[in-house]
Amino acid sequence: MKKMLAVVLALCMVFALCATASAADSYKVALVIPAGDHGFTGESIKHAEMEAELLMEKYDNLEVVVKSQGEPSGQISEIENLLAMGDVDAIMLWPNEGEALRSAALTILDAGIPLVIYDRLIDGLEGIEAQMMGDNFFIGGEMGKYLNEYYKDYDAVQYLRFVGDASTVTAQRSGGMDEVIDAKFEQVNETFVTDWSSEKSQEQMENWLAGHSDEEIEALDLIVTHDDEIINGLMNALEGYTGTADLSGLKLLTSVGGIDATCKKFEDTALAAKFCTFFFAPSFIRECVDYTVDVAMGNEFAGTAVYDEATDCWLIPSFSISNAGNATYTFDEYRASEPFATRYSIGDF
């Protein structure tokens, strides 16, 4: 009897140790990201969800939860709920607005949970595990170099600039371009802030065309933007223009994105303008999901993002796509590339 009792007790101890080890080896990661059912944000959510599913298939001891909210207040509430649960091993935060999420980010750090910031940075936030984004300053610089080469035979270049918002993304893209662009480039209007909206950029372009003389319109050589969604709105306005000015002097529109539908606009348009965009895809978020999971599980990160000591940030590389030459890819070459396949792996979204 005593021998049987000893065996039972020994088995109980083994089961208890196994259960403890199993609990200790399970991991939970939370992704707190903006909401969106279309455009860059909507596609990013789909990529984040797909990457989470793939990682949970790879690791049967991993749980990844995705919390998407359209307002800073909603993201703050999600963070409060996650902290109240107390079983999260790492959090990836893509802030709707960096400053609005500063206090919530600090509560994550105060709770001792590793925090990874994606895309929109929170300036001066110390103690985070990492921050990751597309290499926006590099993109701006490469855009400026591309423009210098494209317009090298021009004595002067007049251009308009359309940006998304007042975030670090905009500041870095504009700053990178402005640092290298030749002095002959003249911005002929205050920068248009579009809120990343094709509808708003279309309205802004229509108003500019309506408010300027034929001579002023015909002197326009270039339009610089920060997003393919903005380009879509501008193209609607330009293609719908019914005034008397000749638009053939507008030779190039530049952008950031790599949306295939935007490339197709320039294959189908009657306008003379060409297009150059720099790859910045919703699929970038997969890198940051992978990084956050690696942090939680103690794995070594093996993605394409490269740590930049000067900015203390992991930067995801980019490349140029154009039907105007001198780019990394033509439209057709881009469509045959691995980055294109990954970007559109979520289907026709």
Side-chain angles (χ1 to χ4, degrees):
M1 186 68 179
K2 289 182 179 179
K3 185 176 180 179
M4 184 176 295
L5 181 60
V7 170
V8 171
L9 289 173
L11 287 172
C12 287
M13 290 178 67
V14 169
F15 289 140
L17 288 171
C18 289
T20 301
S22 176
D25 292 336
S26 63
Y27 303 94
K28 182 174 181 179
V29 170
L31 315 178
V32 181
I33 60 181
D37 57 3
H38 67 283
F40 186 90
T41 306
E43 290 183 42
S44 294
I45 292 170
K46 292 296 183 183
H47 277 287
E49 292 172 341
M50 180 179 286
E51 192 68 8
E53 290 297 327
L54 291 172
L55 287 167
M56 287 189 287
E57 289 176 10
K58 181 178 180 180
Y59 303 109
D60 58 10
N61 60 343
L62 172 68
E63 179 186 5
V64 183
V65 296
V66 182
K67 305 290 186 180
S68 59
Q69 290 287 342
E71 299 293 334
S73 59
Q75 288 190 315
I76 292 169
S77 295
E78 292 290 3
I79 290 169
E80 291 172 347
N81 292 336
L82 288 167
L83 295 180
M85 294 168 62
D87 61 346
V88 181
D89 295 291
I91 293 176
M92 188 197 88
L93 172 61
W94 180 6
N96 280 299
E97 297 174 21
E99 282 308 305
L101 270 294
R102 178 179 293 276
S103 294
L106 287 171
T107 64
I108 297 172
L109 298 175
D110 289 342
I113 298 173
L115 172 63
V116 179
I117 304 291
Y118 176 66
D119 191 52
R120 292 178 180 155
L121 309 184
I122 304 175
D123 290 334
L125 187 64
E126 297 182 357
I128 59 175
E129 187 69 30
Q131 49 192 359
M132 183 180 291
M133 64 193 312
D135 197 342
N136 290 301
F137 194 83
F138 171 84
I139 288 170
E142 291 301 297
M143 186 182 292
K145 293 175 186 177
Y146 186 93
L147 294 175
N148 288 341
E149 176 64 22
Y150 189 84
Y151 289 98
K152 64 183 179 181
D153 295 329
Y154 281 59
D155 294 327
V157 181
Q158 293 192 6
Y159 74 98
L160 300 175
R161 176 163 19 197
F162 292 77
V163 303
D165 55 21
S167 68
T168 54
V169 172
T170 293
Q172 290 174 354
R173 290 179 184 175
S174 290
M177 187 188 86
D178 293 343
E179 188 172 279
V180 301
I181 202 167
D182 291 339
K184 67 184 179 183
F185 286 84
E186 178 190 1
Q187 186 172 330
V188 295
N189 198 90
E190 289 186 3
T191 298
F192 294 97
V193 180
T194 67
D195 299 325
W196 309 103
S197 165
S198 59
E199 292 81 7
K200 188 168 183 178
S201 66
Q202 178 175 341
E203 180 182 1
Q204 290 169 335
M205 189 74 241
E206 289 171 344
N207 291 341
W208 188 87
L209 290 168
H212 289 77
S213 67
D214 286 3
E215 183 181 7
E216 290 170 319
I217 295 171
E218 291 172 3
L220 185 66
D221 303 298
L222 163 70
I223 298 178
V224 172
T225 82
H226 285 181
D227 188 73
D228 288 357
E229 291 285 345
I230 298 172
I231 287 286
N232 292 339
L234 299 185
M235 287 296 286
N236 290 339
L238 292 167
E239 291 179 324
Y241 175 67
T242 57
T244 56
D246 181 0
L247 299 181
S248 63
L250 177 59
K251 297 301 184 183
L252 184 70
L253 286 79
T254 68
S255 183
V256 181
I259 297 176
D260 190 40
T262 309
C263 295
K264 288 176 180 176
K265 278 184 174 290
F266 287 85
E267 292 174 321
D268 300 334
T269 187
L271 297 173
K274 300 293 186 180
F275 180 53
C276 180
T277 188
F278 289 80
F279 188 66
F280 195 103
S283 54
F284 277 9
I285 199 171
R286 291 172 177 262
E287 292 264 331
C288 201
V289 174
D290 291 348
Y291 187 97
T292 308
V293 168
D294 285 339
V295 166
M297 301 184 72
N299 298 334
E300 184 176 349
F301 176 64
T304 65
V306 177
Y307 178 71
D308 179 65
E309 188 172 353
T311 60
D312 188 25
C313 189
W314 287 83
L315 301 176
I316 305 170
S318 181
F319 52 80
S320 56
I321 308 157
S322 181
N323 65 340
N326 198 34
T328 308
Y329 292 120
T330 65
F331 291 169
D332 286 340
E333 289 169 345
Y334 169 54
R335 290 171 183 138
S337 71
E338 183 178 347
F340 182 92
T342 301
R343 174 175 189 143
Y344 289 102
S345 62
I346 59 174
D348 185 15
F349 179 71

